[in-house]
């Protein structure tokens, strides 16, 4: 994929700067086993945190709804069969 470049006026072509923490060359460094393990742990931790936030949100919604956690949330419908 071609890299966008700009001319600084002096005839030199200037490419985009690398992001902080990324190597300056074309090739990326291979992650060490420790760095790879920490990356996996971080990604799993993110999923666990999002799941926990969903549980907290559901609990808060149930509290606002007014139904206690131990109560039966059943709806009873009665139909009148006496007719007109």
């Amino acid at each position: 994929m071609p890299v966008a470049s700009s001319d600084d006026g002096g005839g030199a072509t200037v490419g985009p700067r690398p992001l902080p923490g990324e190597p300056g060359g074309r090739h990326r460094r291979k992650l060490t086993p420790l760095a790879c393990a920490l990356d996996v742990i971080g990604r799993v931790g993110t999923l666990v945190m999002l799941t926990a936030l969903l549980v907290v949100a559901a609990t808060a919604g149930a509290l606002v709804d007014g139904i206690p956690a131990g109560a039966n949330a059943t709806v009873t419908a009665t139909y009148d069969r006496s007719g007109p």
Side-chain angles (χ1 to χ4, degrees), residues 32-59:
T32 64
L34 176 64
C36 190
L38 289 175
D39 184 46
V40 169
I41 290 170
R43 290 176 192 266
V44 170
T46 300
L47 291 175
V48 169
M49 182 190 68
L50 288 174
T51 304
L53 285 173
L54 286 173
V55 169
V56 168
T59 303

